[in-house]
Amino acid sequence: LLKKVALSFSDHDSDDDSYEVLDLTEYARRHHWWNRVFGRNSGPIVEKYSVATQIVMGGVTGWCAGFLFQKVGKLAATAVGGGFLLLQIASHSGYVQVDWKRVEKDVNKAKKQLKKRANKAAPEINTLIEESTEFIKQNIVVSSGFVGGFLLGLAS
């Protein structure tokens, strides 16, 4: 593990670089918040709080996320639907003429590009899924509270 970091400060007047050595282990001992987050006591959240606290924390954050997801989703659906409706009205009124063959060609081109990018991004996605699954396994109580709260937030 990295214990020391050298910082370089270059001076425009001199050709010599001076370095300050920062010992991260000593820094962690002096700063307790750092030690709590990254030290030996930094394990899964299961070890830090009671089951009731974990469920409440997960439920509240899940509800907030679900509620925001619902509101943003409605806003996005309204904007897209309204824009499409206005485009159709303008098209039928003669204000706008849409070249549907060109739209279809561009959509097909975009599909091909997305497929290529999806194949390249597969290893990163698999790594993210594995990390998420591991987090959920380690914090099952908070995760289940979050899911329940998220569903309640969507329903409200």
Side-chain angles (χ1 to χ4, degrees):
L1 196 52
L2 179 66
K3 289 190 176 186
K4 294 187 178 183
V5 177
L7 302 173
S8 171
F9 300 99
S10 56
D11 195 16
H12 295 292
D13 298 334
S14 119
D15 292 335
D16 297 332
D17 286 340
S18 61
Y19 295 94
E20 177 184 341
V21 176
L22 176 64
D23 187 356
L24 293 180
T25 55
E26 185 62 34
Y27 183 82
R29 277 189 217 117
R30 284 185 277 139
H31 294 83
H32 298 290
W33 65 270
W34 180 278
N35 199 16
R36 271 187 267 140
V37 174
F38 298 108
R40 290 188 186 124
N41 297 332
S42 67
I45 200 166
V46 175
E47 299 170 0
K48 296 180 182 178
Y49 298 103
S50 70
V51 173
T53 305
Q54 292 176 57
I55 291 173
V56 169
M57 285 175 24
V60 168
T61 55
W63 183 85
C64 291
F67 186 77
L68 288 173
F69 189 79
Q70 174 201 32
K71 295 298 179 186
V72 170
K74 282 183 181 179
L75 180 66
T78 302
V80 169
F84 185 72
L85 181 66
L86 289 174
L87 182 64
Q88 288 297 324
I89 290 171
S91 176
H92 286 291
S93 299
Y95 290 107
V96 177
Q97 289 187 343
V98 179
D99 186 0
W100 290 109
K101 290 190 186 271
R102 184 172 178 188
V103 169
E104 184 180 0
K105 184 178 85 171
D106 289 343
V107 167
N108 288 334
K109 184 178 176 182
K111 278 185 192 178
K112 288 178 185 176
Q113 288 179 351
L114 282 174
K115 283 183 183 179
K116 286 181 184 177
R117 289 183 185 171
N119 291 337
K120 289 180 183 177
E124 291 90 11
I125 292 172
N126 288 337
T127 303
L128 180 66
I129 290 172
E130 289 172 6
E131 289 175 1
S132 301
T133 304
E134 186 64 30
F135 176 81
I136 290 171
K137 284 179 184 176
Q138 288 179 353
N139 301 302
I140 190 69
V141 178
V142 174
S143 301
S144 59
F146 181 85
V147 169
F150 185 82
L151 294 175
L152 285 173
L154 281 177
S156 60

